[in-house]
Amino acid sequence: MGKNYYDILGISKSATEDEIKKAYKKMALKWHPDRNQNSEEATKKFKEVSEAFEVLSDGNKRAVYDQFGEEGLKGGGGPSPGAGFSGFNFPGAGSAGGPGGPTFTFTSFGPGGFSPTDPTKIFESAFGSGLFSHTASPPSEVTRPLKVSLEDLYNGAMKHIKVGRKRRDGSTEDKILEIQIHPGWKSGTKIRFPKAGNENARGESQDLVFVVEEKPHEVFTREGNDLVARVPVPLVDALAGIPGRTAKTVVEMLDGRKLQVSFPSGIIKPDQETTVRGEGMPIRKDGVVSRKGDLIVKWDVVFPSRLTPAQQEGIRKVLG
């Protein structure tokens, strides 16, 4: 069963042109996309009332619809295929709401019958384009997180992301986007793909924006452009020193290098720091890596979980 354009606009079949236009304006303002952001129901309703108004406000289309319904209007019934409604007489079906019996020629329908016009164009044709100029705004952007490992933020990487977006007609479209992760990028870095987001009712596409989020790392944390690594040191070594002439530990860096870091001389205090210049995160300037931050090694003094009475007594004798 076809659509009832009269019911859609809330009017009777005897409605005049003025009544049709008033009913359309009321319904169109209610369901206009600018008043119902991101509402699929409003978009659907706006299309329906616009189509109903386009048909009923045109004497020729209304006459065909009144006799053959939506199917006949759109080519599913009424005249034989190929007739295009040309030359058909509709007694008593003059201009909307009035008497008459002229011959209507519907050559503009084409061989496939009536096809609705873009609802926004119908609205602007009836009321002008400035009715919503005070509230209309560019399509908002769609923001999505992009989780990136610290290794990729240090070395750089290429990511291929599958994304889907909604089209104005209600369908969805999938595509693969290529994102180049540059060394030195930070959390909060934005990658914008213009017009790659969802379409609104006007056919305008939102920008798709990815926002970098740094994944936690097992060894390193990032503080600005510096890398912080916590290295455990047994309490006995922190107090008595590390045996051997070259007391060093190895820190495996984000690019796979094995970096030797010397233990501090003397007693190592909890959270004492050793700074290695130029071994931190890449620092970008004018699109290229110009230098690196520092590596900060924080020494975690590891205390024993328990001591025997003899050990406790020995410590008291030494430190007491």
Side-chain angles (χ1 to χ4, degrees):
M1 185 176 180
K3 299 174 184 175
N4 189 322
Y5 292 140
Y6 294 100
D7 284 351
I8 290 173
L9 292 181
I11 56 177
S12 67
K13 287 190 174 182
S14 61
T16 64
E17 290 183 9
D18 285 343
E19 290 171 340
I20 293 170
K21 188 169 185 178
K22 287 179 181 178
Y24 167 65
K25 184 175 183 179
K26 177 182 177 181
M27 299 295 286
L29 289 174
K30 177 181 179 180
W31 298 112
H32 197 284
D34 285 344
R35 284 188 171 177
N36 302 271
Q37 294 290 333
N38 302 319
S39 171
E40 293 184 7
E41 180 190 8
T43 299
K44 180 180 178 182
K45 293 284 190 181
F46 185 65
K47 288 180 180 179
E48 287 181 349
V49 299
S50 298
E51 180 179 329
F53 174 71
E54 182 178 14
V55 172
L56 299 183
S57 64
D58 183 287
N60 292 358
K61 295 184 181 73
R62 183 178 181 181
V64 175
Y65 171 74
D66 285 346
Q67 182 146 340
F68 296 107
E70 181 193 8
E71 291 85 353
L73 181 71
K74 294 182 177 179
S80 60
F85 293 115
S86 180
F88 270 74
N89 292 321
F90 299 96
S95 61
T103 299
F104 299 105
T105 303
F106 303 107
T107 54
S108 61
F109 288 7
F114 165 69
S115 179
T117 304
D118 183 289
T120 303
K121 292 182 179 179
I122 295 174
F123 185 85
E124 291 178 354
S125 176
F127 306 113
S129 59
L131 190 58
F132 276 93
S133 60
H134 61 289
T135 58
S137 59
S140 61
E141 63 185 29
V142 179
T143 302
R144 296 185 182 180
L146 179 65
K147 297 185 180 297
V148 185
S149 68
L150 196 55
E151 286 89 347
D152 287 345
L153 293 174
Y154 183 92
N155 298 297
M158 180 68 74
K159 301 289 185 182
H160 294 88
I161 310 294
K162 182 179 180 180
V163 298
R165 68 169 187 153
K166 294 180 180 180
R167 305 297 299 272
R168 179 175 59 174
D169 59 6
S171 64
T172 58
E173 178 185 53
D174 293 332
K175 61 171 61 178
I176 303 295
L177 299 179
E178 189 175 85
I179 300 178
Q180 177 69 55
I181 306 296
H182 292 285
W185 273 7
K186 300 178 180 180
S187 288
T189 299
K190 293 184 178 182
I191 308 101
R192 182 179 299 272
F193 290 88
K195 300 187 182 304
N198 299 328
E199 287 185 344
N200 62 18
R202 299 186 296 272
E204 299 168 330
S205 297
Q206 300 169 308
D207 288 354
L208 179 58
V209 180
F210 289 94
V211 181
V212 172
E213 291 185 3
E214 179 187 308
K215 294 180 181 178
H217 194 272
E218 293 181 355
V219 176
F220 297 101
T221 56
R222 183 177 186 172
E223 293 183 359
N225 295 316
D226 296 333
L227 283 174
V228 178
R230 304 192 73 91
V231 176
V233 183
L235 178 60
V236 63
D237 291 339
L239 294 173
I242 311 297
R245 293 181 60 186
T246 55
K248 295 184 178 181
T249 188
V250 175
V251 178
E252 184 173 349
M253 302 302 291
L254 294 170
D255 56 3
R257 289 180 297 119
K258 310 289 186 180
L259 184 67
Q260 291 191 341
V261 181
S262 299
F263 286 96
S265 59
I267 296 175
I268 301 175
K269 299 178 177 63
D271 286 334
Q272 186 172 333
E273 297 180 356
T274 296
T275 299
V276 183
R277 302 295 180 189
E279 288 293 350
M281 291 296 293
I283 300 174
R284 299 183 67 81
K285 184 177 181 180
D286 298 328
V288 296
V289 176
S290 59
R291 58 192 179 92
K292 290 184 179 180
D294 298 332
L295 169 65
I296 300 173
V297 177
K298 287 191 176 184
W299 304 100
D300 276 344
V301 178
V302 181
F303 287 77
S305 58
R306 59 181 295 276
L307 292 173
T308 65
Q311 290 171 326
Q312 293 174 7
E313 185 64 25
I315 290 176
R316 287 193 180 96
K317 287 180 179 179
V318 173
L319 300 178

